Amino acid sequence: MSIYRDYLQEIEERKSQGLHPKPIDGAELTSEIIAQIKDANNTSRADSIQFLIYNTLPGTTPAAAVKAKFLKEIILGETTVAEITPTFAFELLSHMKGGPSIQVLLDLALGNDEAIAKQAAEVLKTQVFLYDADTARLAEAYKAGNASAKDILESYANAEFFTKLPEVAEEIKIVTFIAGEGDISTDLLSPGNQAHSRSDRELHGKCMITPEAQNQIRALQAQHSDASVMLIAEKGTMGVGSSRMSGVNNVALWTGKQASPYVPFVNIAPIVGGTNGISPIFLTTVDVTGGIGIDLKNWTKKVDENGNVVRNENDEPILEEVYSVATGTVLTINTKTKKLYNGDQELIDIARSLTPQKMEFIKAGGSYAIVFGKKIQTFAAQTLGIKAPTVFAPAKEISKEGQGLTAVEKIFNKNAVGVTPGKILHAGSDVRVKVNIVGSQDTTGLMTAQELESMAATVISPTVDGAYQSGCHTASVWDKKAQTNIPKLMKFMNDFGVITARDPKGEYHAMTDVIHKVLNDITVDEWAIIIGGDSHTRMSKGVAFGADSGTVALALATGEASMPIPESVKVTFKGEMKPYMDFRDVVHATQAQMLKQFDGENVFQGRIIEVHIGTLLADQAFTFTDWTAEMKAKASICISQDDTLIQSLEIAKSRIQIMINKGMDNHNKVLQGLIDKANQRIEEIKSGAKPAFQPDANAKYYAEVVIDLDIINEPMIADPDVNNEDVSKRYTHDTIRDLTYYGGTKAVDLGFVGSCMVHKDDLKIVSQMLRNVEKKEGKVKFNAPLVVAAPTYNIIDELKAEGDWEMLQKYSGFEFNDDAPKNAARTEYENIMYLERPGCNLCMGNQEKAEKGDTVMATSTRLFQGRVVEDKADKKGESLLASTPVVVLSAILGRIPNIEEYQDAVEGINLTKFTPISCH
């Protein structure tokens, strides 16, 4: 059977799911389609023409290469297709976004046929996705006196690819749709348990919110055909949680507009809003798609006649509505006045949503076109030997004389590209920065690969120090979906120049380590900038930004990222930890104390948390920096000390060496290069030439928070508060309760120790607790299941060497087997301990989940509805987050312990401790 017949069969299968034909990315199928087009008598010819024109993916896909070559034949008159004239062939090439299409256009533009060359040049003037090989051809032709090359370069120097685009409409009419009350997680827009379908955009779009919500959106569109639907988080923040390009893609698919008539299911220009704004990571993704994100501020704290905040019986501020955005409300965005209107009534200033840079993204259909466009303009001007005219909004450069630098300001100044020489920049400045480390995770990696193909990138930027493609999100269950998607992803990334968790050649053992742990190890300089395809890309060395798959692709392709320098909040500590407390409790208490100090205002949101915990090694400090995602911070920076930084770098070197010994390094010797950089950094610190960096004493912060360790008397639990009468207060990570709140009676159905929040010491705590119970009771009996997933294989090896793994094995009822990985997710649990394969496991929720309606006590990161546990008809599922000893004891007892039981259970155990720098 031919590949085309297989494709027709797949089309019939998709019809039964209400889906259109899947977009074509393969060369063989495209070649067969073209053969049928050339055969005038072929019965499939008409369908084949439609597939080629409207259903073939652009960029550097194998299909695009075959299509571009065929269109070139048509233009040169080598092949005649009545339905695709040479003029139409040029139009199709103009929508193919780089790679093979650029090569074809350059062949034609620099060729000997003057008429064809002129047409090709006009198309090339609209293209921006050119790479070194393309620009080198242009420069060489120009120097050889080619008139077409000169014409193209002059157009690029004047940025006509941008200036000739239609202007953004002065008024954009919108109709509101309240997608939910309270914070809206990206899990609602793109559920983790549907991660396998993210690269199939139409199929994945069906999982956004609910079918009922999708029907409501369609009804609003039918009723208001001249308006865009704006999705809103009422009384909350839009897009919190994981950094999912697929979430924005789904919003755009349902509410945006098609980017090209010849590329299916790639939509742009979504419009979203939130009472408390848009999550920083999500807002970046909105920019990627040329959309608009609005901080609505449509609810505010109620005040009395004296200006004092009015509170309810729970001492919480009472909110009052400033203006309504109820579903179906028609509003207008005015891009000139930069205001939001209801009819003639001005509601709010939205200038921050429509900055000059964001207006460029909207005009160009996304931020990629601007990033590449600026590079092309600079190249053309340099080649012509002229000064590039000012076309794009100038980067804002804010410099405050006499004011010191925060940690993030120092890092951005060091890594800045293309700024005024010698100028010191402060928060608010727009900066293009060099990216040192890039991470791609496996459930978004296929989309990152698609983005790289769409921007015609074929090899990693040589300026990136190291990049890693993980396998942790699909570690738990090696099912048919994973077996279909992951090998293909690993091959693509490996070929691109990325270190991959799985070897496409099958020579080294699969490493399913949690991506954040690997990135924390391969970051070997505290001055580094890291970009990763997950919101928990928050290394405790350098400054790390969780990002969507598109921004990750851009970092891989260009070695750069662009963003304003964020404001910072300084977090320091005083007092002393109680001997029975764990550092995880300090992390949760930080959130609670900050909210109390600032009357419920989250001063962390959208800012950098500069946390002074330099007495902790990088592994332990990551527990804090990791949780800053739940604090809604843009990122965090750990201020370290010389001795602890050296120790952390030595640990990192040993783990990178293990990766090298496994055979994971590539021909560029990336991993060895990281060890060399670590050695250099260690020597700089030891010699005193360049100590561990510190912010300036006269730096200015948005706020300063001092956490009092003396008042943390009990384990602190993050509670989803699933039955709160105020729906907006559920699933927020802001409800932090002490152990006593639960009275020692709340039943626990399952415990989970795992995720990026834990480190080796946490697994040793599990072992030590089992020893304690065994010594006291004679044996260990679990009254609830306990799932344990070490974050990395390195940790298991270290635990084996130190005698702790043997204790875990003794009381486990299940131990993972790499030679026979599970091929189906567990649906029921026994009251035993499960030793699962290193990876995300329950934390991600895309493969494993607790039983519906369970109360879960976990060390993981997220407590969103439906992530770790789904609801059942008569009981809401809930995932409470706590320290490792609380989780283990809860599973042993089958309930949350009281404080006396807890203190007794942890006696003599080495919990993770922290001493403030001032007390060290």
Side-chain angles (χ1 to χ4, degrees), residues 199-245:
S199 59
D200 185 345
R201 294 193 183 207
E202 186 190 18
L203 172 59
H204 194 67
K206 288 185 171 292
C207 70
M208 188 184 85
I209 314 179
T210 62
E212 293 75 21
Q214 294 165 15
N215 290 335
Q216 286 180 275
I217 290 168
R218 285 287 180 254
L220 287 169
Q221 290 168 331
Q223 190 177 349
H224 304 277
S225 57
D226 58 341
S228 295
V229 175
M230 175 169 70
L231 262 62
I232 293 173
E234 178 78 320
K235 296 184 184 177
T237 302
M238 172 62 78
V240 301
S242 299
S243 51
R244 290 186 186 158
M245 185 82 185

Side-chain angles (χ1 to χ4, degrees), residues 351-658:
R352 290 182 65 184
S353 302
L354 301 169
T355 63
Q357 287 79 15
K358 289 180 183 289
M359 289 292 288
E360 290 172 351
F361 299 159
I362 297 167
K363 179 178 177 177
S367 58
Y368 296 166
I370 298 300
V371 172
F372 278 84
K374 288 179 178 178
K375 290 170 80 81
I376 288 296
Q377 186 193 25
T378 301
F379 151 75
Q382 288 174 345
T383 304
L384 294 170
I386 63 173
K387 182 180 179 182
T390 301
V391 172
F392 299 102
K396 190 192 300 180
E397 294 188 349
I398 298 172
S399 185
K400 298 178 180 178
E401 191 174 348
Q403 180 177 306
L405 298 176
T406 63
V408 72
E409 288 168 342
K410 282 194 169 187
I411 293 175
F412 268 56
N413 274 278
K414 178 186 180 293
N415 291 283
V417 176
V419 298
T420 303
K423 193 167 188 178
I424 301 299
L425 302 179
H426 288 88
S429 300
D430 296 314
V431 183
R432 203 167 90 239
V433 291
K434 177 186 183 300
V435 175
N436 306 90
I437 301 292
V438 184
S440 171
Q441 57 102 323
D442 39 331
T443 53
T444 60
L446 283 170
M447 293 180 59
T448 299
Q450 283 186 344
E451 297 292 337
L452 287 167
E453 288 176 331
S454 74
M455 61 179 71
T458 56
V459 65
I460 190 170
S461 168
T463 63
V464 174
D465 294 334
Y468 178 72
Q469 170 62 60
S470 81
C472 56
H473 289 65
T474 51
S476 299
V477 182
W478 193 236
D479 56 13
K480 288 183 179 178
K481 295 168 185 173
Q483 291 171 37
T484 299
N485 291 330
I486 302 306
K488 182 167 65 173
L489 168 64
M490 294 295 166
K491 183 179 188 311
F492 179 95
M493 287 298 186
N494 201 281
D495 291 346
F496 197 81
V498 177
I499 303 297
T500 54
R502 291 180 182 272
D503 185 1
K505 301 182 186 70
E507 293 175 4
Y508 59 78
H509 186 278
M511 188 173 90
T512 59
D513 294 3
V514 173
I515 180 172
H516 317 298
K517 296 297 187 183
V518 179
L519 294 182
N520 211 35
D521 285 336
I522 68 172
T523 300
V524 292
D525 188 346
E526 81 276 28
W527 291 86
I529 292 178
I530 305 100
I531 297 289
D534 189 294
S535 57
H536 290 101
T537 306
R538 291 170 184 261
M539 285 53 260
S540 52
K541 301 187 290 286
V543 61
F545 297 95
D548 59 276
S549 53
T551 302
V552 171
L554 200 62
L556 286 170
T558 68
E560 296 178 4
S562 299
M563 68 183 83
I565 302 178
E567 295 177 302
S568 294
V569 176
K570 183 178 182 179
V571 176
T572 56
F573 301 83
K574 67 178 183 179
E576 186 177 355
M577 282 182 68
K578 301 290 187 292
Y580 53 86
M581 302 302 293
D582 185 78
F583 184 63
R584 176 75 183 249
D585 301 311
V586 175
V587 173
H588 288 183
T590 298
Q591 193 152 344
Q593 289 190 31
M594 176 275 295
L595 290 169
K596 187 172 183 180
Q597 288 176 35
F598 291 89
D599 201 19
E601 177 193 353
N602 184 354
V603 297
F604 293 155
Q605 183 164 341
R607 300 182 177 93
I608 302 293
I609 298 177
E610 184 186 291
V611 58
H612 292 246
I613 47 174
T615 59
L616 284 178
L617 293 174
D619 278 1
Q620 289 85 0
F622 183 69
T623 302
F624 189 102
T625 58
D626 197 25
W627 182 263
T628 61
E630 279 57 63
M631 296 172 178
K632 299 180 187 173
K634 187 172 181 66
S636 63
I637 298 176
C638 172
I639 306 303
S640 193
Q641 304 295 101
D642 285 354
D643 55 345
T644 49
L645 180 56
I646 289 171
Q647 289 180 63
S648 294
L649 291 175
E650 291 289 359
I651 292 169
K653 279 172 50 186
S654 68
R655 291 174 178 170
I656 296 170
Q657 187 61 53
I658 290 171

Side-chain angles (χ1 to χ4, degrees), residues 309-323:
V309 174
V310 179
R311 299 178 177 277
N312 61 19
E313 62 276 8
N314 296 321
D315 199 35
E316 296 169 335
I318 293 175
L319 300 180
E320 59 182 359
E321 192 174 50
V322 180
Y323 62 93

Side-chain angles (χ1 to χ4, degrees), residues 52-185:
L52 183 75
I53 294 173
Y54 298 106
N55 211 46
T56 305
L57 290 176
T60 56
T61 64
V66 176
K67 180 177 178 178
K69 182 173 177 288
F70 179 54
L71 295 175
K72 181 182 179 182
E73 292 175 10
I74 292 173
I75 290 167
L76 291 175
E78 297 169 359
T79 299
T80 300
V81 178
E83 296 86 349
I84 305 176
T85 64
T87 300
F88 188 35
F90 272 121
E91 181 180 349
L92 291 175
L93 282 168
S94 75
H95 286 260
M96 290 180 66
K97 297 182 68 177
S101 62
I102 295 294
Q103 293 165 22
V104 164
L105 287 167
L106 283 170
D107 289 345
L108 299 172
L110 304 179
N112 296 323
D113 189 310
E114 190 174 331
I116 289 176
K118 188 172 182 180
Q119 282 183 285
E122 290 305 309
V123 175
L124 268 173
K125 291 174 185 178
T126 68
Q127 304 297 296
V128 294
F129 293 106
L130 278 71
Y131 288 86
D132 291 348
D134 306 317
T135 55
R137 284 187 69 187
L138 268 178
E140 187 179 337
Y142 166 69
K143 289 170 186 172
N146 186 289
S148 183
K150 181 174 184 288
D151 182 38
I152 294 165
L153 287 170
E154 287 174 345
S155 176
Y156 282 160
N158 290 308
E160 290 181 349
F161 50 79
F162 177 74
T163 60
K164 291 189 174 183
L165 291 172
E167 293 299 323
V168 178
E170 181 173 342
E171 290 190 341
I172 301 172
K173 190 175 177 183
I174 56 176
V175 58
T176 61
F177 175 73
I178 302 237
E181 191 170 331
D183 291 346
I184 289 185
S185 158

Side-chain angles (χ1 to χ4, degrees), residues 650-668:
E650 291 289 359
I651 292 169
K653 279 172 50 186
S654 68
R655 291 174 178 170
I656 296 170
Q657 187 61 53
I658 290 171
M659 295 171 72
I660 294 174
N661 295 344
K662 283 167 65 77
M664 295 179 70
D665 213 351
N666 60 19
H667 66 279
N668 291 324

